[in-house]
């Protein structure tokens, strides 16, 4: 999907109140078109097969099946095209949802800023070409679930992230986390755009570094100085092309 695309959306949710609430929130996004709502899994699967939506909001607890069983019933072609946002009150299902091809996780009751972040992430995703199971980062509330290979993952609090740095040799982004001795390498197809879309406090300062601006203390001779616990980092240089945007964000903190 690109910014210009009309995004066909299906909602599978058994609570009429939750369907109405979600649809009201989605009206803020003119490129989102809810083409059908279903109150059970069987009808939802038929709708997805018939309508081939770009986006699916899926409740985790349906009257005839779970959301996880629903995702397991979808064929590979559908999973490749359709981005699935799990829509639930239960954060406990986050990991299993992610493993079953979920694109993101939206908790009830809806917080507009969380839905905004999901919409921004959708703009960075090319559904026909991006593998559904690779390079995924799931954000919910103040946490990130980041896969580092096919089976291993890290649960990271946003407030513990100091910066992301690009390892040119291994062609991967790494995450620098508070009170961790070594950076954590992410999967190869995690891009800088994906990282920047996770939170408005993440800002790119050159081709190799994306920092959490909340930890930025000052910039002297184009070198960033950070608040603890990242005060030992003294190698992040601000690139000329990134300086103006960084200054604007820093002033507005």
């Amino acid at each position: 999907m690109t910014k210009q695309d009309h995004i066909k959306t299906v909602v599978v949710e058994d609570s009429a109140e939750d369907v109405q609430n979600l649809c009201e929130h989605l009206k803020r996004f003119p490129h989102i078109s809810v083409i059908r709502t279903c109150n059970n899994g069987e009808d939802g699967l038929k709708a997805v097969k018939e309508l081939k939506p770009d986006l699916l909001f899926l409740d985790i607890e349906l009257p005839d099946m779970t959301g996880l069983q629903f995702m397991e019933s979808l064929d590979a072609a559908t999973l490749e095209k359709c981005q699935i946002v799990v829509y639930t009150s239960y954060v406990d299902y986050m990991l299993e949802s992610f493993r079953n091809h979920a694109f993101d996780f939206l908790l009830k009751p809806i917080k507009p800023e969380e839905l905004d972040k999901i919409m921004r992430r959708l703009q960075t995703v090319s559904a026909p070409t991006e593998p559904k199971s690779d390079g995924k980062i799931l954000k919910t509330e103040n946490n990130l679930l980041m896969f580092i290979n096919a089976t291993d993952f890290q649960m990271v609090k946003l407030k513990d992230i100091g910066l992301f740095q690009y390892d040119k040799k291994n062609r991967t982004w790494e995450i620098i986390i508070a009170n961790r001795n070594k950076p954590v390498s992410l999967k190869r197809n995690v891009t800088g755009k994906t990282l920047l879309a996770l939170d408005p406090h993440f800002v790119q300062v050159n081709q190799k570094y994306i920092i959490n601006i909340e930890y930025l203390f000052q910039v002297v001779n184009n070198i960033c100085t950070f608040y603890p616990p990242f005060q030992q980092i003294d190698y992040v240089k601000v690139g000329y092309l990134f300086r103006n945007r960084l200054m604007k964000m820093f002033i507005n903190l």
Side-chain angles (χ1 to χ4, degrees):
M1 286 178 288
T2 67
K3 290 183 179 180
Q4 291 75 31
D5 286 334
H6 183 69
I7 300 177
K8 298 187 299 181
T9 303
V10 168
V11 177
V12 181
E13 161 66 64
D14 64 323
S15 166
E17 181 180 354
D18 287 336
V19 170
Q20 182 178 2
N21 188 32
L22 176 60
C23 289
E24 285 297 317
H25 279 280
L26 290 174
K27 287 179 181 178
R28 295 192 292 112
F29 306 96
H31 58 293
I32 299 292
S33 177
V34 178
I35 56 177
R36 188 168 299 178
T37 65
C38 304
N39 60 13
N40 63 72
E42 183 179 356
D43 288 346
L45 287 171
K46 290 178 181 177
V48 170
K49 183 177 181 180
E50 173 192 346
L51 301 172
K52 296 178 172 46
D54 306 300
L55 177 63
L56 170 66
F57 285 90
L58 176 64
D59 187 15
I60 206 72
E61 292 191 344
L62 298 166
D64 53 347
M65 66 181 71
T66 67
L68 301 177
Q69 291 170 328
F70 187 103
M71 286 186 280
E72 289 171 355
S73 300
L74 298 175
D75 58 37
T78 299
L79 291 171
E80 187 70 17
K81 178 182 185 296
C82 182
Q83 306 294 352
I84 303 172
V85 176
V86 172
Y87 179 46
T88 180
S89 303
Y90 306 100
V91 71
D92 293 346
Y93 290 105
M94 182 177 63
L95 177 57
E96 283 303 310
S97 299
F98 191 60
R99 285 177 170 168
N100 280 276
H101 308 286
F103 170 76
D104 217 318
F105 203 86
L106 180 64
L107 284 174
K108 306 172 188 175
I110 295 173
K111 293 183 179 180
E113 61 271 23
E114 292 300 318
L115 185 57
D116 288 347
K117 290 171 186 175
I118 291 173
M119 292 298 123
R120 286 198 297 270
R121 285 196 64 214
L122 281 169
Q123 303 306 311
T124 69
V125 172
S126 175
T129 58
E130 180 172 289
K132 295 290 292 183
S133 60
D134 292 335
K136 289 297 181 186
I137 301 176
L138 179 64
K139 181 177 184 296
T140 177
E141 294 295 328
N142 297 313
N143 299 314
L144 298 179
L145 181 67
M146 314 181 94
F147 268 72
I148 55 180
N149 56 45
T151 58
D152 298 332
F153 62 92
Q154 291 272 345
M155 180 71 79
V156 182
K157 293 184 180 298
L158 277 171
K159 67 180 182 63
D160 291 338
I161 296 175
L163 60 99
F164 301 94
Q165 61 186 23
Y166 188 73
D167 181 347
K168 188 174 181 180
K169 179 179 179 181
N170 294 314
R171 293 184 296 166
T172 58
W173 282 94
E174 299 176 331
I175 178 173
I176 307 296
I177 307 168
N179 302 315
R180 304 279 184 96
N181 293 329
K182 295 181 179 180
V184 175
S185 295
L186 302 176
K187 296 184 76 175
R188 277 195 177 183
N189 55 350
V190 172
T191 67
K193 286 184 178 180
T194 300
L195 298 175
L196 288 168
L198 291 172
D199 191 89
H201 293 109
F202 295 158
V203 56
Q204 192 154 11
V205 296
N206 66 39
Q207 294 295 339
K208 278 190 62 177
Y209 298 105
I210 295 172
I211 68 169
N212 185 342
I213 199 168
E214 290 200 315
Y215 284 106
L216 181 62
F217 173 62
Q218 63 182 1
V219 177
V220 177
N221 295 324
N222 283 337
I223 299 296
C224 295
T225 302
F226 299 95
Y227 287 108
F230 303 104
Q231 70 273 22
Q232 302 301 322
I233 297 176
D234 59 2
Y235 50 81
V236 178
K237 188 172 183 179
V238 179
Y240 174 77
L241 296 177
F242 301 89
R243 185 175 179 84
N244 286 341
R245 174 169 169 76
L246 175 63
M247 288 178 64
K248 290 178 182 178
M249 292 186 65
F250 190 64
I251 291 171
N252 291 326
L253 280 179

